[in-house]
Amino acid sequence: MALFQRDEATSGPSIPEGLWVKCPQCQQIVWRREVERNLHVCPKCNYHFRLRAHDRIAMLLDDGVYRPLFTELKTADPLQFRDRRRYTERLKQAWETVGTEDAICMAEGTLGGFPVIVGVMEFEFIGGSMGSVVGEKVARGAERAIEERRALILVSCSGGARMMEGILSLMQMAKVSAALGRLAAARLPYISVMTDPTTGGVTASLAMLGDIHLAEPGALIGFAGPRVIEQTIRQQLPEGFQRSEFLLEHGLLDMVVHRKHLRDVLIRLLRFLWNPAVHEAVANATP
């Protein structure tokens, strides 16, 4: 089948919609299938496109096999919030177009043979914002990891707390932090993976509380955005400020990992962090 079809109006070739994609970083036009084969990374400049949550979970876990968790949780509208549109309308649109229950997908499976619980944030669902359901899923994921003696891996991709839920969204920061504290007390590994973007209340809570902090290349990571910071301090920020490489250089990250290496790096880290003898002793210890 021909890749191009002749446009009679212009007497030139017309490109079928969706066949090519323009890289936001190098501005090159790249064949979409080539990008997909490269794990959604630009083959020209290594720009990391955003991944859908279910695709990333399947990419990380053994044989792409996993069991979804907490799918019964669904967001309500406790504040009856409305700005330009009703919150309920935004939720309905997100459910229909994105297809996930909320801005995070939780699953359990194995990674390199190690039992894990993985949570991946979905940016397409209202900017990956953390509301009550996201906080509840993360907290339940940490509790389940404690009960089943599993490692926890959370992949952040978020604009921060969800303003439509007001103080209820901010309360999730304390909630998930407390749950992750209990996970640490149980001597179970928690690895945080930050992707573009990881900002706001997510950065100020779950993203920066890991035993190990990883990030994809070029990811924007911070609390407030660069523009807000510049306007506040009235100074020019350094080049690359709040990008993964800048944070690594200044000690806020442990590693910057290309997507094609992420699974192997996580397996090596789990092998390093997971001492079966210690975990068995902790699991069998009396309170």
Side-chain angles (χ1 to χ4, degrees):
M1 183 177 69
L3 292 180
F4 297 95
Q5 296 175 341
R6 182 160 297 279
D7 190 333
E8 298 298 335
T10 60
S11 297
S14 64
I15 303 175
E17 185 178 358
L19 189 61
W20 303 89
V21 60
K22 184 176 182 180
C23 175
Q25 180 167 284
C26 67
Q27 303 298 309
Q28 295 293 311
I29 305 298
V30 189
W31 193 27
R32 183 179 294 275
R33 287 190 181 179
E34 186 178 359
V35 175
E36 292 172 352
R37 283 197 298 263
N38 201 36
L39 301 178
H40 293 267
V41 176
C42 176
K44 306 292 185 182
C45 68
N46 277 330
Y47 173 80
H48 283 51
F49 290 87
R50 290 181 190 136
L51 268 181
R52 298 298 300 271
H54 287 301
D55 292 338
R56 189 182 289 275
I57 293 174
M59 182 188 77
L60 291 178
L61 297 185
D62 295 342
D63 300 320
V65 177
Y66 60 92
R67 178 188 174 193
L69 298 174
F70 320 126
T71 56
E72 73 281 4
L73 297 178
K74 204 167 186 180
T75 300
D77 182 16
L79 303 181
Q80 298 183 345
F81 185 89
R82 179 172 186 171
D83 47 9
R84 288 178 296 177
R85 296 170 58 195
R86 293 185 183 276
Y87 183 32
T88 51
E89 294 176 2
R90 295 183 185 275
L91 288 171
K92 182 179 179 181
Q93 181 182 11
W95 290 327
E96 293 175 351
T97 59
V98 181
T100 61
E101 303 83 31
D102 211 281
I104 193 168
C105 296
M106 303 290 298
E108 65 178 14
T110 59
L111 178 54
F114 294 99
V116 296
I117 288 179
V118 175
V120 179
M121 303 197 79
E122 176 59 78
F123 191 82
E124 296 299 318
F125 196 105
I126 313 183
S129 51
M130 182 170 65
S132 301
V133 168
V134 172
E136 181 66 16
K137 282 191 172 187
V138 172
R140 289 193 188 188
E143 296 293 345
R144 192 181 186 95
I146 295 171
E147 293 172 4
E148 299 184 358
R149 307 301 299 171
R150 292 175 177 263
L152 178 65
I153 300 171
L154 296 178
V155 182
S156 300
C157 184
S158 173
R162 188 172 300 172
M163 70 171 190
M164 299 85 160
E165 295 186 24
I167 190 63
L168 298 176
S169 66
L170 298 179
M171 290 168 61
Q172 306 311 308
M173 297 170 62
K175 182 186 204 172
V176 300
S177 299
L180 294 173
R182 291 191 290 273
L183 185 74
R187 301 292 192 269
L188 289 165
Y190 164 42
I191 302 175
S192 173
V193 181
M194 289 166 257
T195 68
D196 183 60
T198 298
T199 58
V202 171
T203 303
S205 56
L206 62 94
M208 285 295 181
L209 292 176
D211 299 308
I212 302 289
H213 294 143
L214 309 179
E216 290 187 335
L220 175 66
I221 302 169
F223 182 67
R227 186 187 310 166
V228 174
I229 296 174
E230 283 188 334
Q231 291 175 350
T232 302
I233 66 175
R234 301 181 187 279
Q235 293 185 24
Q236 185 73 29
L237 297 174
E239 184 177 354
F241 180 74
Q242 289 188 323
R243 295 291 172 177
S244 301
E245 295 74 14
F246 185 92
L247 270 65
L248 178 65
E249 182 181 347
H250 290 79
L252 294 176
L253 292 175
D254 296 298
M255 296 177 69
V256 175
V257 184
H258 192 286
R259 187 173 292 163
K260 66 182 179 181
H261 300 307
L262 182 58
R263 175 178 153 84
D264 291 337
V265 168
L266 288 172
I267 292 172
R268 292 203 302 270
L269 288 172
L270 288 172
R271 191 177 296 125
F272 174 76
L273 293 170
W274 198 283
N275 186 322
V278 171
H279 286 282
E280 183 177 355
V282 173
N284 296 331
T286 56

